[in-house]
Amino acid sequence: MSAPPRSIRTAVLLVLALALAACSGGGLRPNARNTGPAGPPTRGGSLSTYTNQQFFSFDPKDVQVPIFGAQGGYMAAIYGLLFYVDHKTDKVRPDLGESLTSEPGCRTWNLKLRDGVRFSDGTPLDAQAVKTNYERIQDPAGHSPLAVHLAGVKMKTAGDRTLRLTLPAPNCQFDVVAANNLSFVASPTAIKKQGKQFYANPVGAGPFRLQTWNRSAGSATVVRNPSYFRSGQPYLDKITFTYATNATTALNTLLRGQVQLSGALFDTTTYDKAVAQGLATRTIPANGGAAIQFNTLRKPFDKLCARQVVAYGLDPAAMSKALNKSKLLGGPTHTLFQPGSPFYDPRLRFPSNDRAKATAYAKQCQSQGDPVRFTILANAGVDQQAAEYVASRLNTIPGVHAAIRVISVAQAATVVFLHRDFQLVFYPGAMMFGDPVPQLSSWLMTKGAVNITGYSNKQMDAALAEGQSAHDVAARRTAYEQVQRLWIRDLPFWMYAKAQYYFVFAKNVAGVDPVNPGNELLRWNLVGYAGKAG
Amino acid sequence: MAGYLLRRGLHLVLVLLLVTVAVSALLDLMPGDPALTILGTTASKADVAALDHQLGLDRPFAVRYASWLVASVHGDLGQSVITKQPVLQAIQQGLPITLEIVALALVIALAVAVPVAAYCARRPGGATDVTATGLSSVLLSLPAFVGGIVLLYLLAVVVPVVPVGGWVAFTEDPAANLHAAILPAVVIALGPCAGFFRVLRADMITTLQQDFVLTARAKGLPTRYILLRHALRPSLFTLVTTAGLTVGGLISASFIVDVIFQLPGLGNITVQAINTKDIPIVQGVTVFIAFVYVAANAVVDLTYAVLDPRVQRP
């Protein structure tokens, strides 16, 4: 899994930025605010759900970050998951696959497949099929967003059911990376047969197969795959995924029962309203949280003192209270990892809320000839309020001048990710993760895929690499303690509010048990209606 | 007549050219990059540049426009950058929904406005007339998005008599189709309904003061008969013209209700395309609608020309 996706052009972004949604894990546990029926569902029924992203491809190589609200929802239905990360244990579990184990040193991994699993076109899901899919991801001509996870990886089949993957460097968390990013596998026969049209005619081995894709309507319907390898599953006959373009309508359709399930939509108030109306819910806390990112390559934030002005000049509690519209989700954070994570340490608090220090650092910057004058880049309608809050607070500190530049959501990805044309930005809002591999690395490592702050520190790179290559929890804990200390010292970004992903759904929908902390996918074969089918 | 047709044809071509240049230029200036939508935020500048090249987005504006124009003249409006769907197919899928909503809205607006206007014209200044005129002022000043959200809340949430959103094709289930279309149609019909009422009421009041109406009254004909058989027909000319012109406004308003009610009409298609900077879709839909507008105006002009040959003179 990599950074929060952008594609989203609108809604997923809104979710990531505003809703403090999307992710969890790393030892975190779903909190107690979970409702819904217990016990296995009954067979039959149709279910409607929302996506936050326009459909543009059903090809596994085109998946950006397979989060539920984006492509992950429908891709998981069509392709199933080779492996997944169990929320309860944080262990990688097999689904379509049989095992994913490393040899000593964590450089070579053996991906073993189940015997007898077939794609819906009748061809076998074997080692060669996985290899073909992974090679498509690696092919530069395919422009796959997942290529970063297979960069430099060499593959060789060992019999029909085993694929040996040799990584360019040891990674004891590669199973987590694979479960989150490389779990969708398509039929090579179908890929060859369909050619360039495969993106619209997917064939997987998951519990459902694509029936219709109405591109104009932004909806897709999947129907039960009769050849799914788990007998008696899936429970549902049909699922319709619709691109939600309007928050009010989306919420109202949920309340009216026209749509039975949704991941985080637009903002956290959706969750509050759903709870108030008695819908069933799942909430999943996350590490990280809503963040402010500094461009460490530009004045004034190339100086640590300027970053400290912002950190000490703001109070996470007051800021969270002012900006979070939900009464049930979120809350201030003072640490990078959250309680429940093996890497959480309450002593490792980042700097905040000390006006005297903020003033002193502002003076320090000024004395060095670099006054703390900057512009906050804000997404229109997304984090404009947050920008105004920050500017209003920081402008009361002598020597600080914060202005605001508002840009459109459509513009944000290009400005921030492509051109890095900012000084301080909220986008993409919440930086949330389960296991720190690979997300935290992608933000903090010098060559991290979404290191938009330009932060570069060899000690940090080494600590993150150690956290990735270390096998036992104690060694990883030591590595991530060092990561947190360096982050607190250098402050390439600063956080203020906790993040939680959530699902809201009809009371009779069962099996809403997300997997893959950070991506929150559903195993659709387990979802259905308790009692009479809906 | 041949000269007139030629002038109208040239006018049509000129308008379409101007509209397409303006839309294409605006889209070109619009921020964002479809390649980033497809590749995600982890994409490098090189990857984005490569995909831009592959999609032809790195060519100069003039080259892209010229190439699109040539293809369009040959009936090829291109395909979506994001979904790869042919633009014509997208229009074909969205158009029936938009047309149905617009037609239904027009019918609703006329069905309400005509009898109410006729009734009010009978006693101008009466309680009903004052109430209806006041209400029409409110409706005329009410934007479609406000009316849409309020009615959505009242009729789909508080008293759930219609669905909140979504669409069912007429061919799939005619009753469910009408159920899904009725509220969006009512929302965009509110403004035109008030406008039609005002126009017809005023015309009918004037007509009812004509001598032939007085004669009819003197003959003892029933009021309803006079209203419907003598006064209504000669009062309809302005209404018919206004109704024709309102179709354009209804198409625009349908874009708003498409988003509010999540209808898969041309409006939703266009809004999604704008969000992802899917230029071919926006260009295609805009050109299509401009063509419909211009063609409709041309037909009206031609009708005038047939009715009154004086308008053919340059």
Side-chain angles (χ1 to χ4, degrees), chain A residues 368-417:
Chain A
Q368 292 172 3
D370 290 314
V372 187
R373 299 178 67 85
F374 60 94
T375 300
I376 302 169
L377 192 67
N379 269 308
V382 178
D383 43 37
Q384 212 169 329
Q385 191 190 352
E388 282 162 5
Y389 177 90
V390 168
S392 70
R393 300 302 304 157
L394 296 179
N395 279 332
T396 62
I397 298 169
V400 176
H401 178 76
I404 298 170
R405 177 186 162 208
V406 180
I407 58 172
S408 69
V409 175
Q411 199 177 359
T414 310
V415 171
V416 176
F417 283 93

Side-chain angles (χ1 to χ4, degrees), chain A residues 4 6-7 9-10 50 54-56 64 143 145 199 214-217 245-246 249 252 256 258 410-411 413-414 418, chain B residues 31-32 36-41 45 54 82-85 93 156 160 162-165 259-260 262 264 272 275-276:
Chain A
R6 176 8 258 204
S7 68
R9 296 285 118 175
T10 48
Y50 280 124
Q54 191 181 8
F55 299 79
F56 66 91
Q64 294 169 6
H143 303 293
Y199 78 98
N214 187 333
R215 299 179 218 203
S216 308
T245 52
N246 179 287
T249 307
N252 287 333
R256 274 287 301 276
Q258 285 176 238
Q411 199 177 359
T414 310
L418 216 52
Chain B
L36 210 57
T37 302
I38 295 166
L39 297 176
T41 49
K45 279 187 180 178
Q54 195 176 310
I82 306 297
T83 67
K84 302 182 184 76
Q85 182 182 31
Q93 286 182 354
V162 291
V164 176
V259 175
I260 294 174
Q262 296 198 160
Q272 286 187 32
N275 282 336
T276 51

Side-chain angles (χ1 to χ4, degrees), chain A residues 87-369:
Chain A
H87 255 297
K88 296 183 180 77
T89 63
D90 299 319
K91 302 287 182 198
V92 172
R93 302 282 180 213
D95 200 354
L96 291 169
E98 186 174 288
S99 64
L100 180 55
T101 52
S102 73
E103 294 182 3
C106 298
R107 208 160 157 217
T108 301
W109 286 79
N110 292 303
L111 189 160
K112 193 170 182 187
L113 295 155
R114 289 176 194 273
D115 190 18
V117 176
R118 291 184 172 273
F119 294 106
S120 58
D121 63 0
T123 57
L125 197 178
D126 56 15
Q128 186 56 47
V130 179
K131 184 168 181 275
T132 303
N133 275 266
Y134 287 1
E135 282 170 349
R136 289 182 80 228
I137 290 171
Q138 286 179 320
D139 182 1
H143 303 293
S144 174
L146 300 174
V148 64
H149 303 296
L150 286 169
V153 175
K154 291 186 168 47
M155 291 173 282
K156 195 176 177 184
T157 55
D160 286 346
R161 291 170 50 205
T162 303
L163 179 66
R164 283 171 63 82
L165 299 112
T166 305
L167 313 186
N171 184 352
C172 290
Q173 317 309 319
F174 180 74
D175 53 347
V176 176
V177 174
N180 277 294
N181 299 283
L182 306 168
S183 257
F184 301 143
V185 176
S187 158
T189 308
I191 291 170
K192 194 174 176 184
K193 188 177 164 189
Q194 296 286 344
K196 286 185 176 176
Q197 295 305 310
F198 182 77
Y199 78 98
N201 301 284
V203 176
F208 294 87
R209 55 189 173 78
L210 182 67
Q211 184 184 48
T212 55
W213 174 19
N214 187 333
R215 299 179 218 203
S216 308
S219 69
T221 300
V222 297
V223 292
R224 196 169 191 274
N225 173 11
S227 60
Y228 185 59
F229 83 105
R230 288 187 196 278
S231 163
Q233 294 178 3
Y235 297 109
L236 292 169
D237 292 328
K238 189 166 88 171
I239 307 171
T240 301
F241 295 87
T242 305
Y243 173 41
T245 52
N246 179 287
T248 309
T249 307
L251 175 64
N252 287 333
T253 51
L254 274 162
L255 299 180
R256 274 287 301 276
Q258 285 176 238
V259 170
Q260 290 78 34
L261 184 150
S262 178
L265 274 175
F266 301 100
D267 66 51
T268 44
T269 56
T270 301
Y271 178 84
D272 289 21
K273 287 171 187 164
V275 169
Q277 294 288 328
L279 291 179
T281 58
R282 286 276 183 284
T283 55
I284 307 107
N287 287 315
I292 286 172
Q293 306 214 46
F294 304 106
N295 189 338
T296 65
L297 302 177
R298 281 199 181 177
K299 287 183 185 302
F301 297 115
D302 56 337
K303 293 275 195 303
L304 178 60
C305 58
R307 305 198 290 270
Q308 283 167 322
V309 168
V310 176
Y312 283 114
L314 297 170
D315 175 12
M319 197 167 166
S320 172
K321 192 177 173 187
L323 298 176
N324 185 13
K325 293 172 189 164
S326 171
K327 290 180 169 53
L328 303 173
L329 297 175
T333 186
H334 298 278
T335 54
L336 184 59
F337 291 91
Q338 301 302 329
S341 165
F343 311 120
Y344 169 71
D345 185 339
R347 295 167 303 167
L348 299 174
R349 289 165 66 97
F350 54 80
S352 66
N353 195 29
D354 188 330
R355 192 176 163 82
K357 280 189 179 174
T359 307
Y361 281 119
K363 274 187 187 168
Q364 185 187 327
C365 282
Q366 201 145 18
S367 68
Q368 292 172 3

